[in-house]
Amino acid sequence: MSTAKETTFSDVVLSVRNLCKTFGSVLAIDNVTLDVFSGEVLGIVGDNGAGKSTFLSLLTGYNQADSGQFLYRSNPVLISSPAHSRKELKMEMVYQDLAMAPDLSVWQNLFIGQELHKKLFLDVKTMRQKAKDVLADMKTKIDSNDLISNLSGGERQLVAVARALLFDQEIVLLDEPTSAISIAQVDRVMDTIKGLKQRGKTVILVSHRLEDIVQVCDRIAIFNRGRITDVVENNNISVSELIHLMFPDK
């Protein structure tokens, strides 16, 4: 793996060391080591089957690594489940399919699995107000009482990001956030990523849209056959240069 030039980020929030994962006879993640800096936008790219999705599944605890180590702010942590990932790594995953309940309102989706209670009852008033506040803070026109089914793909992405802000998560993982939305909505998602960075959040962005990667990412990790083959700083890197790094033999 080549060494990137010195970065302006100095605070490592998340480290993975010698991570390996197999599925049967397939080595999906092969000795991956990577540092993620606080407040950066890290892009992850690679061809289909390169290991990107498996890597995310290990970070979120959906799958468990066969070997290797996670460190959160230099402290070793064991990631055993998505709930554990949220707690131990302060990480929120925005899945490609968004995993939302379409027949529920925005505020209900924001609090799914983490509902607030007042004694024996749901604290609906507080949840609605907190949802309203975080949406207003994001400068979106989405109403907290809107049904998810009535929102566009881009608006649903904003709701998913709002959940991370609502619970003050430090690391936000975005899996192909612009793959199923219109071109007009892509800019809104890119602006949201930039807004997360401005808030000091760390973003890990997986996308096949390389134009999105070069637009917002500070560094880019390139996966190939389960390994990280390069980590480069985005010093005005072009899409064609990135493609060459991804496919050096072509």
Side-chain angles (χ1 to χ4, degrees), residues 15-190:
S15 296
V16 296
R17 293 288 181 266
N18 308 116
L19 208 63
C20 293
K21 178 64 178 178
T22 58
F23 294 100
S25 62
V26 177
L27 182 58
I29 295 294
D30 184 7
N31 199 37
V32 165
T33 291
L34 180 67
D35 288 328
V36 182
F37 295 94
S38 180
E40 77 166 329
V41 181
L42 173 69
I44 295 181
V45 299
D47 203 0
N48 291 332
K52 307 183 301 297
S53 295
T54 300
F55 180 66
L56 292 188
S57 77
L58 299 179
L59 291 183
T60 59
Y62 183 81
N63 287 309
Q64 281 71 53
D66 297 328
S67 60
Q69 187 179 36
F70 296 97
L71 297 99
Y72 175 73
R73 296 199 174 279
S74 301
N75 297 311
V77 291
L78 179 64
I79 307 302
S80 59
S81 68
H84 202 202
S85 176
R86 290 189 184 100
K87 179 180 178 181
E88 297 295 333
L89 298 183
K90 292 184 68 65
M91 179 183 294
E92 188 73 30
M93 174 73 177
V94 179
Y95 292 94
Q96 186 173 353
D97 61 6
L98 297 180
M100 291 185 180
D103 294 328
L104 296 181
S105 67
V106 169
W107 72 263
Q108 288 171 311
N109 272 270
L110 288 178
F111 282 94
I112 282 181
Q114 300 186 67
E115 292 85 356
L116 302 181
H117 291 81
K118 194 171 184 180
K119 295 184 179 180
L120 299 177
F121 302 98
L122 288 175
D123 191 351
V124 173
K125 181 178 179 180
T126 299
M127 286 189 286
R128 280 179 167 164
Q129 186 59 52
K130 285 182 176 292
K132 181 180 179 180
D133 290 344
V134 74
L135 292 169
D137 195 34
M138 292 177 66
K139 296 181 173 58
T140 174
K141 296 181 180 179
I142 300 171
D143 190 292
S144 62
N145 292 312
D146 288 341
L147 288 180
I148 291 295
S149 58
N150 292 334
L151 301 183
S152 67
E155 288 171 330
R156 294 186 192 197
Q157 286 287 353
L158 296 180
V159 171
V161 171
R163 180 180 171 93
L165 296 177
L166 182 66
F167 294 101
D168 197 29
Q169 299 295 64
E170 187 168 8
I171 305 171
V172 181
L173 272 60
L174 299 171
D175 183 17
E176 301 287 354
T178 57
S179 65
I181 62 177
S182 68
I183 294 176
Q185 293 169 335
V186 169
D187 287 342
R188 294 188 65 186
V189 175
M190 293 295 100

Side-chain angles (χ1 to χ4, degrees), residues 205-220:
L205 171 64
V206 174
S207 180
H208 281 95
R209 283 178 50 92
L210 300 185
E211 57 268 39
D212 295 348
I213 292 288
V214 300
Q215 179 183 343
V216 298
C217 293
D218 300 295
R219 293 188 305 143
I220 304 165

